[in-house]
Amino acid sequence: MSEAVEQRIFSSVGRSLEQEDEIRLTSVGVDIGSSTSHLVFSRIVMEQVGNRYIVTERSVFHESEILLTPYTDDMAINADLLGEFIDRQYELAGLAPTDIDTGALILTGVAVRRSNARAIGELFASQAGKFVAVSAGDGLETTLVAFGSGAAALSKRENLCAMNVDIGGGTSKIAVCKDGEIIDLTAIDVGARIICFDNENRVTFFEEAGRQFAQEAGVTLAPGVQISDMQISRIVELMTDRLFQAMGGAPIDADTINLLRLDPLKNPLIPDTLSFSGGVSEYIYAKESAGYGDLGPMLAEAVARRVKNWGPKMVPPAEGLRATVVGASQYTIQVSGSTIFVEPHETLPVRNVPVITPDLPLASDDLDVDALAEAIGVSLRRLDLHEGEKAVALCFRWQGSATFGRLDAFCRGVIKGLAPILDRNLPLILVSDGDIGGLIGLHCSETVQLDKPIVSIDGIKLKEFDFIDIGALMESSGAVPVVIKSLVFPPSAALGKPVESKS
């Protein structure tokens, strides 16, 4: 380990991991949503435990103002105004961009679908090496919110079934959690800002979903058209009907299915607890009363009324409006070198590679190629990586013997499952916590004859929501340094820990 970390500079020139038992980082989490945008600045303390650094403390020292995400006349995100807002928040936090060690930039909701979403990432181009940037599609955002809201932690801590519903500006995300894991999820086009209006109820903007709800309510939407409170109420009641169906509170019909952005819940049930997050939750829990020219207050009232007699106990989330800002990334460093396979060597380094940890069926003597591929596909879809636009690191724990037949089935199942990625000539990146990396990489290359770059390393422990950097092979040892960037959830959302009361 020492030979590797001597070469790894951590966050500023002259600081090496080997020389410091404790490292303090400044991090920022940035959430650009369809409705609101905001930042959270944190201090992270890491301590050396054995040959790894782990997070021992995370404290938020500045929460930004809340900005209604600005749009141009053609409804693209106004990157100039957003940039000015971000600059102001850095100033209010007493920081310059150069003071930031690491961070996470997350685009969510309808914001991801805007034509200039890529321009938002360019606001942080100068910090590209420090930031993990995620365009969170519906599956990933729902997953993030399940953990950021504390629902996953609550389900494990209290041994119950917990549902969280995150109602934002453009979409609502529904996650059902049990034993600290998400067992079901979906998302639907129901949100506070799918229709917006001025002080005299004249329509200023609407999404396609808003037009559909209005049409169903017998209301014609057009810019400048004035709609009555009664008409708005009819629209909101229809939205609540659809949301309640998506949550499993009523039989789901075809109109609701057409609004879903993910598959419907597989096994709808009445959860033990129900929490809400997102912008609309501020009204549900009476933290906000002011209106912002949208459906938020009326939608919150309708939802709260509808679920009152459903059955679940309604509880507050660990994080509400800021549930998706899961903090900035932390770093840990590990080294893989005993049995690895990298070909060609020029494949490395790779940076900010998202990690998937599929539940692979590896227990039996005869591995099923199709079952392996399907498990990988489920993991890719959950994290919105199934389009194959970027390389992923598949992390697994090998079980059983390493016979030719089992190795062959494993490699072919992995290659089949990762086909959307490999078909784009992106590298196959495999990470095991055992000592089998070299053997699997060699089998993929020489036996299966995969004609794609292969990086197969081992001795590394990863989890979902991690991103990794894998450095170039070190001439002195043939090892590779692996830097792990983990999304850090709020302390009250930590599994197995009690929720701290908030004054």
Side-chain angles (χ1 to χ4, degrees), residues 314-388:
M314 200 164 88
V315 299
E319 296 289 336
L321 178 62
R322 301 181 190 268
T324 310
V325 179
V326 292
S329 40
Q330 69 172 52
Y331 285 111
T332 62
I333 183 166
Q334 300 181 39
V335 171
S336 178
S338 57
T339 54
I340 69 177
F341 182 91
V342 179
E343 189 63 39
H345 291 178
E346 294 73 27
T347 305
L348 298 177
V350 293
R351 303 190 185 283
N352 287 339
V353 180
V355 171
I356 63 170
T357 57
D359 184 15
L360 298 177
L362 297 175
S364 67
D365 290 335
D366 298 317
L367 300 184
D368 187 324
V369 171
D370 291 333
L372 289 166
E374 175 57 26
I376 293 168
V378 168
S379 191
L380 290 174
R381 288 190 293 274
R382 182 171 63 246
L383 298 181
D384 294 314
L385 298 168
H386 56 287
E387 298 292 339

Side-chain angles (χ1 to χ4, degrees), residues 26-30 39 41 86 90 97 100-106 121 123-134 328-329 331 351-352 467 469 485:
T26 301
S27 65
V28 60
V30 185
L39 296 77
F41 295 87
I86 291 169
Y90 271 79
I100 299 297
D101 293 298
T102 184
L105 168 63
I106 302 174
L123 294 174
F124 298 88
S126 63
Q127 297 173 270
K130 299 177 181 180
F131 271 73
V132 171
V134 182
S329 40
Y331 285 111
R351 303 190 185 283
N352 287 339
F467 291 73
D469 297 348
K485 304 174 181 180

Side-chain angles (χ1 to χ4, degrees), residues 179-195:
D179 197 28
E181 300 291 337
I182 300 170
I183 61 171
D184 217 348
L185 59 82
T186 192
I188 185 170
D189 277 327
V190 169
R193 297 185 69 78
I194 61 173
I195 302 174

Side-chain angles (χ1 to χ4, degrees), residues 253-473:
D253 60 30
D255 289 332
T256 298
I257 289 175
N258 288 336
L259 287 165
L260 292 178
R261 302 196 57 79
L262 298 171
D263 291 338
L265 296 179
K266 301 177 187 65
N267 300 298
L269 48 79
I270 299 177
D272 298 307
T273 64
L274 174 64
S275 59
F276 291 91
S277 59
V280 175
S281 74
E282 299 290 288
Y283 298 104
I284 292 176
Y285 295 103
K287 294 181 178 181
E288 177 64 84
S289 58
Y292 295 93
D294 58 34
L295 305 171
M298 294 183 69
L299 181 58
E301 181 183 353
V303 168
R305 185 174 64 249
R306 190 69 59 88
V307 302
K308 188 174 182 179
N309 299 318
W310 185 27
K313 177 184 178 182
M314 200 164 88
V315 299
E319 296 289 336
L321 178 62
R322 301 181 190 268
T324 310
V325 179
V326 292
S329 40
Q330 69 172 52
Y331 285 111
T332 62
I333 183 166
Q334 300 181 39
V335 171
S336 178
S338 57
T339 54
I340 69 177
F341 182 91
V342 179
E343 189 63 39
H345 291 178
E346 294 73 27
T347 305
L348 298 177
V350 293
R351 303 190 185 283
N352 287 339
V353 180
V355 171
I356 63 170
T357 57
D359 184 15
L360 298 177
L362 297 175
S364 67
D365 290 335
D366 298 317
L367 300 184
D368 187 324
V369 171
D370 291 333
L372 289 166
E374 175 57 26
I376 293 168
V378 168
S379 191
L380 290 174
R381 288 190 293 274
R382 182 171 63 246
L383 298 181
D384 294 314
L385 298 168
H386 56 287
E387 298 292 339
E389 295 178 352
K390 62 178 73 174
V392 303
L394 190 157
C395 181
F396 65 96
R397 174 171 292 182
W398 182 261
Q399 301 175 42
S401 61
T403 62
F404 177 89
R406 296 185 88 244
L407 281 175
D408 194 62
F410 175 82
C411 293
R412 294 182 188 278
V414 165
I415 291 170
K416 183 175 182 180
L418 294 175
I421 292 163
L422 299 177
D423 287 347
R424 295 182 181 234
N425 209 37
L426 293 167
L428 172 67
I429 303 176
L430 304 175
V431 182
S432 167
D433 65 353
D435 293 322
I436 200 167
L439 200 57
I440 287 177
L442 190 66
H443 194 97
C444 288
S445 176
E446 297 194 357
T447 302
V448 182
Q449 295 190 331
L450 178 68
D451 61 345
K452 303 291 187 288
I454 299 172
V455 177
S456 183
I457 63 177
D458 55 28
I460 303 293
K461 294 182 179 180
L462 299 171
K463 60 184 182 300
E464 203 164 75
F465 296 122
D466 282 347
F467 291 73
I468 63 171
D469 297 348
I470 305 176
L473 284 161

Side-chain angles (χ1 to χ4, degrees), residues 31 33-35 108-111 113 136-146 149 163-176 184-192 243 246-247 260-262 265 274-280 323-324 384:
D31 180 12
S34 52
S35 177
T108 59
V110 178
R113 297 175 243 161
D138 303 297
L140 177 55
E141 187 181 0
T142 306
T143 303
L144 288 173
V145 169
S149 68
M163 174 183 286
N164 185 77
V165 182
D166 186 274
I167 308 177
T171 58
S172 293
K173 285 70 63 179
I174 303 162
V176 183
D184 217 348
L185 59 82
T186 192
I188 185 170
D189 277 327
V190 169
L243 178 61
M247 292 162 56
L260 292 178
R261 302 196 57 79
L262 298 171
L265 296 179
L274 174 64
S275 59
F276 291 91
S277 59
V280 175
T324 310
D384 294 314

Side-chain angles (χ1 to χ4, degrees), residues 47-66:
E47 294 182 2
Q48 188 172 18
V49 178
N51 65 353
R52 299 186 63 200
Y53 280 78
I54 64 171
V55 172
T56 57
E57 181 183 339
R58 176 187 181 274
S59 58
V60 172
F61 68 89
H62 183 76
E63 292 184 343
S64 80
E65 300 167 323
I66 305 294

